[in-house]
Amino acid sequence: INHSDCYLDDSASRRKLFLFFYLTIIITAIPSNAFSLYVSWQHIRQKNELGVYLFNLALSDLTFTVGLSLWLDFLWRGIWAHGGYVCVLSVYFLFTNFYTSDALLCCIAVDRYLAVAHPLKYTSLRKVGTAAAVSVAIWVLVICFNATTITWKDTYQENNTFSVCFDIFLPLSENLARANVVRFFLGFIVPVVLVVFSSWGICLAVKSNQATEEQERKRIWKLLTVVLLCLLFCFGPIHVMMLLRTLVDDCRTAAWLLYPYKISIAISSLNCLADPLLYCFITRTGQANVNQVVLFLQGKKRSK
């Protein structure tokens, strides 16, 4: 393989489109997730285990959004100017957000399933301490997995004229191909199956329990719908592209996959905006806090 053929000229106009897209995400995601941290902290203070998962989701999204700012400079210049260590770290942030987010979304779906289908049976699993321990375990497992699968060789390439971070379209190394297959099944298929199972279980439980209020049913359905859509829409395309890349062994096909792959990464970053919907507009505490903010702003406007 002539590796020089694998480097692609990225047109400035296309780069600028991605630049404005990511800039919009950063501007929107930082305040919305900062607010979500506050909302989820209210849940934790009320001894609600859901708040622990929501807090960690917001933390993951904020960490990713801060790392995303480095990509703006990359898109503006067309070359990576921060060196290999920073490149590897930024990719680390990206994948850490992917897998902490979808693991925590699974935890939220399973937690709601246990709360609705088995309200008295698994109370020990629905405590703040248990949720905190599960969240720490998720962070540790994801960080360890990324440490063994994200390498300098697969992440950063440099030659005499330019350097590239992550947008490397060489045929994959054996290590990265294996990692992508594991990511597809453990990072996408397993979470989707768990969320579908939890949703189905809740559906059966709610139908058989007439005591559940209509408003509460709607809230549960909204929550699970956002979780499932977030997994399928935000994480589905990127994992399909990862799997396709494991089948590619020539530069021409790799080049053809470049923009679908870039678009799938852009779509995956939308999960930073989807997650705040879970706490701000679906949970009771979130709705109450949003209403408080709206009333406060309306009061300010009237006083002016």
Side-chain angles (χ1 to χ4, degrees):
I1 295 165
N2 182 0
H3 282 183
S4 63
D5 294 340
C6 290
Y7 291 102
L8 301 162
D9 290 327
D10 200 6
S11 74
S13 59
R14 281 172 171 167
R15 286 204 318 273
K16 295 298 186 288
L17 279 174
F18 285 108
L19 173 69
F20 289 121
F21 177 81
Y22 286 123
L23 185 60
T24 304
I25 285 180
I26 289 170
I27 291 168
T28 314
I30 289 178
S32 62
N33 280 292
F35 181 64
S36 300
L37 275 178
Y38 167 74
V39 171
S40 51
W41 182 248
Q42 301 305 309
H43 279 267
I44 296 169
R45 287 178 62 186
Q46 294 168 10
K47 303 295 182 189
N48 184 342
E49 78 287 351
L50 191 63
V52 177
Y53 299 127
L54 298 174
F55 186 88
N56 280 277
L57 260 178
L59 200 60
S60 173
D61 288 343
L62 277 174
T63 306
F64 167 69
T65 309
V66 170
L68 195 61
S69 58
L70 289 169
W71 293 90
L72 298 183
D73 178 66
F74 180 34
L75 290 165
W76 181 260
R77 295 170 187 246
I79 60 166
W80 183 263
H82 306 290
Y85 290 108
V86 177
C87 169
V88 172
L89 191 63
S90 68
V91 175
Y92 206 88
F93 280 153
L94 175 73
F95 282 103
T96 299
N97 172 257
F98 280 178
Y99 300 114
T100 50
S101 286
D102 68 5
L104 289 163
L105 288 170
C106 278
C107 290
I108 290 169
V110 172
D111 177 81
R112 292 303 85 195
Y113 167 71
L114 295 176
V116 174
H118 307 285
L120 304 174
K121 197 173 179 182
Y122 298 104
T123 50
S124 62
L125 295 177
R126 293 180 44 243
K127 290 183 176 176
V128 168
T130 307
V134 169
S135 298
V136 169
I138 286 168
W139 280 99
V140 170
L141 286 171
V142 170
I143 286 169
C144 289
F145 178 76
N146 285 340
T148 58
T149 55
I150 295 171
T151 64
W152 185 300
K153 177 189 169 188
D154 294 320
T155 306
Y156 181 70
Q157 292 287 332
E158 187 175 14
N159 63 23
N160 294 329
T161 54
F162 62 92
S163 51
V164 182
C165 178
F166 199 50
D167 284 348
I168 301 167
F169 269 74
L170 305 174
L172 300 187
S173 67
E174 197 176 322
N175 174 66
L176 188 54
R178 276 199 303 266
N180 280 359
V181 172
V182 173
R183 284 170 181 154
F184 180 79
F185 287 102
L186 289 184
F188 178 61
I189 298 298
V190 170
V192 167
V193 168
L194 277 172
V195 171
V196 169
F197 169 79
S198 300
S199 303
W200 180 251
I202 287 171
C203 177
L204 296 176
V206 166
K207 278 184 179 177
S208 61
N209 185 5
Q210 298 302 319
T212 308
E213 293 179 15
E214 185 64 27
Q215 192 177 0
E216 186 64 21
R217 288 184 192 186
K218 285 180 180 176
R219 188 177 287 114
I220 292 167
W221 281 122
K222 282 180 187 175
L223 181 70
L224 290 172
T225 302
V226 171
V227 168
L228 192 55
L229 285 177
C230 191
L231 282 174
L232 291 174
F233 178 73
C234 294
F235 297 121
I238 181 66
H239 283 91
V240 170
M241 292 306 301
M242 280 183 193
L243 202 60
L244 284 175
R245 282 198 66 196
T246 62
L247 307 173
V248 172
D249 59 1
D250 66 282
C251 290
R252 183 174 291 183
T253 313
W256 184 81
L257 288 174
L258 174 66
Y259 288 104
Y261 188 68
K262 282 190 169 188
I263 290 165
S264 70
I265 293 169
I267 290 170
S268 68
S269 64
L270 288 170
N271 89 89
C272 289
L273 304 180
D275 292 343
L277 288 173
L278 294 174
Y279 10 84
C280 290
F281 303 109
I282 293 169
T283 61
R284 275 201 200 93
T285 310
Q287 288 175 332
N289 288 130
V290 170
N291 289 338
Q292 285 173 3
V293 171
V294 171
L295 289 170
F296 175 75
L297 293 174
Q298 284 178 343
K300 282 264 187 186
K301 192 181 276 187
R302 285 199 196 97
S303 66
K304 283 181 182 177

Short mmCIF file of all heavy atoms in Angstrom, two decimals, residues 89 131 166 193 240-241 243 255 296:
data_model
loop_
_atom_site.label_atom_id
_atom_site.label_comp_id
_atom_site.label_asym_id
_atom_site.label_seq_id
_atom_site.Cartn_x
_atom_site.Cartn_y
_atom_site.Cartn_z
N LEU A 89 -5.17 12.62 23.19
CA LEU A 89 -6.03 13.01 24.31
C LEU A 89 -7.41 13.43 23.82
O LEU A 89 -8.44 13.07 24.43
CB LEU A 89 -5.37 14.15 25.09
CG LEU A 89 -5.99 14.50 26.45
CD1 LEU A 89 -5.89 13.32 27.42
CD2 LEU A 89 -5.33 15.73 27.04
N ALA A 131 -25.92 3.64 42.68
CA ALA A 131 -25.79 4.37 41.41
C ALA A 131 -24.41 5.02 41.29
O ALA A 131 -23.80 5.02 40.22
CB ALA A 131 -26.89 5.43 41.31
N PHE A 166 -6.84 11.92 13.68
CA PHE A 166 -8.09 11.16 13.60
C PHE A 166 -8.63 10.98 12.18
O PHE A 166 -9.20 9.96 11.86
CB PHE A 166 -9.17 11.80 14.51
CG PHE A 166 -10.29 10.86 14.85
CD1 PHE A 166 -10.04 9.59 15.33
CD2 PHE A 166 -11.61 11.24 14.70
CE1 PHE A 166 -11.07 8.72 15.65
CE2 PHE A 166 -12.64 10.38 15.02
CZ PHE A 166 -12.36 9.12 15.50
N VAL A 193 -30.06 -3.37 22.94
CA VAL A 193 -30.84 -4.53 23.40
C VAL A 193 -31.35 -4.30 24.83
O VAL A 193 -32.52 -4.58 25.14
CB VAL A 193 -30.00 -5.83 23.32
CG1 VAL A 193 -30.68 -6.98 24.06
CG2 VAL A 193 -29.75 -6.22 21.86
N VAL A 240 -21.83 1.85 12.79
CA VAL A 240 -21.94 1.17 11.49
C VAL A 240 -20.72 1.52 10.64
O VAL A 240 -20.13 0.64 9.99
CB VAL A 240 -23.25 1.58 10.77
CG1 VAL A 240 -23.25 1.09 9.32
CG2 VAL A 240 -24.47 1.01 11.51
N MET A 241 -20.32 2.80 10.65
CA MET A 241 -19.15 3.22 9.88
C MET A 241 -17.87 2.57 10.40
O MET A 241 -16.99 2.18 9.63
CB MET A 241 -19.00 4.74 9.91
CG MET A 241 -20.07 5.52 9.17
SD MET A 241 -20.25 4.99 7.44
CE MET A 241 -18.61 5.29 6.80
N LEU A 243 -17.67 -0.35 11.77
CA LEU A 243 -17.69 -1.75 11.32
C LEU A 243 -17.33 -1.83 9.84
O LEU A 243 -16.58 -2.73 9.42
CB LEU A 243 -19.08 -2.35 11.56
CG LEU A 243 -19.16 -3.87 11.65
CD1 LEU A 243 -18.31 -4.40 12.79
CD2 LEU A 243 -20.60 -4.32 11.81
N ALA A 255 -11.06 6.23 1.09
CA ALA A 255 -11.33 7.62 0.69
C ALA A 255 -12.82 7.83 0.44
O ALA A 255 -13.37 8.88 0.80
CB ALA A 255 -10.54 7.95 -0.58
N PHE A 296 -38.21 33.47 36.20
CA PHE A 296 -37.19 34.46 36.59
C PHE A 296 -36.88 35.41 35.42
O PHE A 296 -36.83 36.63 35.59
CB PHE A 296 -35.91 33.73 37.02
CG PHE A 296 -34.76 34.64 37.32
CD1 PHE A 296 -34.71 35.38 38.50
CD2 PHE A 296 -33.71 34.78 36.42
CE1 PHE A 296 -33.64 36.22 38.77
CE2 PHE A 296 -32.65 35.62 36.67
CZ PHE A 296 -32.61 36.35 37.87
#
